Amino acid sequence: MIKAILTGHSKGLGLGIARALLERGHAVLGISRSQCDALELQYPTLLQQISLDLANSASLDWLESSRDLNDFIANTTQLLLINNAGLVSPIGPLGSQATLDISRSVQLNVTVPLAMSALLTQKMQSHQKLRILHVSSGAAQSAYPGWSVYCATKAALDMHAKAVQQDQSPNVTICSLAPGVIDTGMQTQIRETDELLFPNKQRFIELKNTNSLSSPETTGVQLVHYLLSPNFGKLAVDDLRAH
């Protein structure tokens, strides 16, 4: 039995991933600040949801002792962890970045994926297998003005996947995957940012105006196909657009 733990499942790409998994008949435990009632109504036996602000440092302590999490893991041979939740803020040069915004972004973009990966590896039994997918970004490889925190946090995921692969942990495979540019709320936030804070703003406006953004639904299907493929984990860092 395949089960998936998915962060940030209630909207955007996360919702697209959740729907793709559920349509294949795989149980999903979604962890997000908000819930998706419509999806739960459609898949009442397959979808479980935990309302939790993962950007809060106390969230990981709660999850570690969560009965819902432990029960979900118990009856599966193949567990998937999709670290999708993330923040693009703070956007702007160093002088405009609030320390609280930096802390929340590092917590959600880096600490949670790394900690969840370790936590589930420790909770798995010897007969169980774990596939970890970090949702990365092209920003992990290319620096952008105004995105120093976002670029740094996504680069951290890529390096984490490379190092974990070197560990050769039994029954654990990992990949940090850039999914491409997707039409989500994050893109809306980017287009609404003051150009003084994000000089590349016009490029993202043009992507929207020329219909060059992929849909969360289509990308979700492609990402799940990649995650379940027999070749998953051969590359520690990859780009979905190359497939």
Side-chain angles (χ1 to χ4, degrees), residues 186-237:
M186 185 178 287
Q187 285 296 314
T188 303
Q189 180 185 353
I190 291 167
R191 292 193 301 271
E192 291 175 350
T193 301
D194 190 320
E195 199 160 3
L196 292 175
L197 297 176
F198 186 57
N200 288 17
K201 171 181 175 176
Q202 190 58 39
R203 178 200 165 202
F204 289 85
I205 292 174
E206 290 171 2
L207 288 172
K208 175 68 173 178
N209 291 341
T210 56
N211 295 316
S212 300
L213 301 175
S214 58
S215 74
E217 295 77 17
T218 299
T219 308
V221 170
Q222 294 170 342
L223 186 147
V224 169
H225 177 76
Y226 181 97
L227 175 58
L228 296 175
S229 73
N231 291 324
F232 179 82
K234 289 188 175 180
L235 293 175
V237 175

Side-chain angles (χ1 to χ4, degrees), residues 4-11 13-15 17-18 21 28-34 50 52 54 60 63 80-86 108-109 112-113 116 120 133-135:
I5 296 172
L6 170 62
T7 64
H9 74 288
S10 62
K11 55 189 176 182
L13 176 59
L15 182 56
I17 295 169
L21 287 164
V28 174
L29 176 62
I31 307 172
S32 181
R33 284 184 302 169
S34 58
I50 295 176
L52 193 63
L54 290 168
L60 288 168
L63 271 177
L80 313 173
L81 171 62
I82 304 113
N83 291 307
N84 165 72
L108 187 59
N109 295 4
V112 168
M116 288 291 291
L120 294 185
L133 189 146
H134 296 327
V135 176

Side-chain angles (χ1 to χ4, degrees), residues 37 41-42 80 104 106 124 127 130 137 150 179 199 239:
D37 296 335
L41 283 172
Q42 190 174 358
L80 313 173
R104 285 179 62 84
V106 172
M124 298 290 287
H127 68 281
L130 173 64
S137 167
Y150 186 67
D239 193 313

